[in-house]
Amino acid sequence: MTTPYPFVPGAVLTAQQLNDIQNLPISDKTASYTLVVADVYKRTIMNNASATTITVNNSIFTVGDVIQVANKGAGTCTITAGAGVTINTSGSLALAQYGGGYLLALSASTFTFFNLGGGASVPSAVSYLVIAGGGGGGTGIAGQAEGAGGGAGGYRCSVLGETSGGGASAETPFAASSGVTYTITIGGGGAAGTQGVASSIAGSNITTISTVGGGYGAASQAGATGGAGGSGGGGGGTSGTGGAGTVNQGRAGGNTTTSSQGAGGGGASTVGGNNVVFTGGAGGAGVASSITTSSVTRAGGGGGASGTTGGAGGAGGGGAGGTAAVGATGSVNTGSGGGGGASGSSFAGGAGGKGVVILRYPDTFATATTLTGGSLTSTGGFKIYTFNDSGTIGWS
């Protein structure tokens, strides 16, 4: 731009300079960018093949300022409000390739975005993996019985070609709605001898997608029953029964026979192992998912304890049963069961692993405009949101 803009007192302009007022210079960006006051006098244009953001912070602009933005890259560029900022629009804040518009400052912290076309649409099919917290392993009772393994948290999956827990088919992805905030709850793993906590996705336009916490491992004399849950906890004593799993979420815990070693907790795909003399039962195996584009097995059951040979944790993060020791803890954010504790000194069972929620959809759709507690990864043609802690997500 050739005019002395913004104008100062005493400036004299030529006709050509007056005409050039409309010719704002282009400010090309190739990575996520935070606007500055000088951008009022430019056209900020993003160019990146991956998802990016243009952030508007508080107290940078004044009433009446107009900031032009556009996206010419293949990756979606999302106009993002900084702390204390509100951006209202009747369209979308997510710009697909060749989309653009302008921000009008109504105050230092309130803006209206006029989308002039190219807004990326809200995702119509969001695949999910929802795993509850795993159950805690049973605590051994000195001179009487070894602790059993905790069951894995309930496992629900809607990725095409994969399975949910208990051998169930993949569920149906949900359609996101503009303006709806979805609440993500991550269930904690159960402490020794207690059930894990449910994980869920909830929003006003969907039926809540919830999973059941893993069942606790038994710890008692003859005939102790493991706790029911997403997957059931292992039985204890000399004739204990494993807890039941939840249909379409997980498997039952293992049973005990004539010896007092603990049985294994159920996993998302297989029943927990029964004990044998001097050997704790192995935890049931979890399920593998490639929702992150890499195959990861989660939701394994905890192993039962023994004074001689503790049961192995189930594939997918289950804690191993203690051998004259406490049970191992289930792996964090896998919803795996904790291992049983040995009886020698009433060793405690291991805690279950905390759950997880993962969302995925094609990266041609809009980036979430609301996100707390989760993180975004763009890979393999997908936007992937991983929640290791409770939070929220939404699109506008």
Side-chain angles (χ1 to χ4, degrees):
M1 178 174 170
T2 58
T3 61
Y5 187 72
F7 306 129
V8 296
V12 177
L13 305 181
T14 67
Q16 181 62 51
Q17 287 175 322
L18 287 169
N19 289 332
D20 282 346
I21 289 173
Q22 301 300 315
N23 299 328
L24 295 179
I26 290 174
S27 176
D28 278 314
K29 305 298 177 185
T30 58
S32 293
Y33 176 69
T34 299
L35 293 170
V36 298
V37 68
D39 291 317
V40 172
Y41 316 120
K42 302 174 185 176
R43 292 185 173 100
T44 300
I45 300 181
M46 185 62 67
N47 186 12
N48 194 308
S50 299
T52 56
T53 59
I54 292 178
T55 300
V56 186
N57 279 340
N58 199 351
S59 301
I60 302 298
F61 303 105
T62 58
V63 175
D65 281 348
V66 175
I67 307 98
Q68 298 189 34
V69 293
N71 178 33
K72 67 180 180 181
T76 301
C77 178
T78 302
I79 312 302
T80 304
V85 170
T86 299
I87 304 176
N88 298 305
T89 183
S90 62
S92 175
L93 295 176
L95 301 178
Q97 190 171 29
Y98 307 125
Y102 63 92
L103 286 155
L104 172 63
L106 304 180
S107 72
S109 61
T110 305
F111 297 78
T112 297
F113 180 64
F114 296 91
N115 190 311
L116 302 181
S121 57
V122 173
S124 58
V126 180
S127 296
Y128 56 80
L129 176 63
V130 183
I131 306 176
T139 295
I141 299 176
Q144 297 181 37
E146 314 286 352
Y155 184 108
R156 295 179 63 178
C157 178
S158 68
V159 177
L160 182 65
E162 298 187 356
T163 63
S164 285
S169 299
E171 300 180 3
T172 302
F174 71 89
S177 288
S178 179
V180 174
T181 297
Y182 298 87
T183 300
I184 309 298
T185 301
I186 305 301
T194 62
Q195 185 175 359
V197 180
S199 294
S200 63
I201 305 170
S204 61
N205 72 314
I206 64 171
T207 299
T208 298
I209 302 162
S210 186
T211 50
V212 179
Y216 58 82
S220 186
Q221 293 108 303
T225 301
S231 288
T238 56
S239 57
T241 302
T246 300
V247 175
N248 299 336
Q249 295 193 30
R251 300 292 193 180
N255 303 322
T256 55
T257 55
T258 57
S259 62
S260 61
Q261 283 72 49
S269 69
T270 64
V271 174
N274 297 339
N275 72 335
V276 296
V277 177
F278 302 130
T279 303
V287 176
S289 174
S290 295
I291 191 168
T292 62
T293 71
S294 297
S295 181
V296 178
T297 301
R298 303 175 179 86
S306 169
T308 303
T309 304
T323 299
V326 299
T329 299
S331 295
V332 67
N333 294 123
T334 64
S336 50
S343 65
S345 297
S346 297
F347 291 107
K354 186 166 65 171
V356 68
V357 170
I358 303 174
L359 307 177
R360 186 182 85 176
Y361 58 87
D363 63 9
T364 52
F365 290 92
T367 302
T369 50
T370 297
L371 180 64
T372 63
S375 61
L376 168 63
T377 302
S378 295
T379 184
F382 295 100
K383 290 185 173 76
I384 301 164
Y385 292 88
T386 301
F387 290 84
N388 292 324
D389 297 290
S390 298
T392 59
I393 188 169
W395 295 264
S396 61

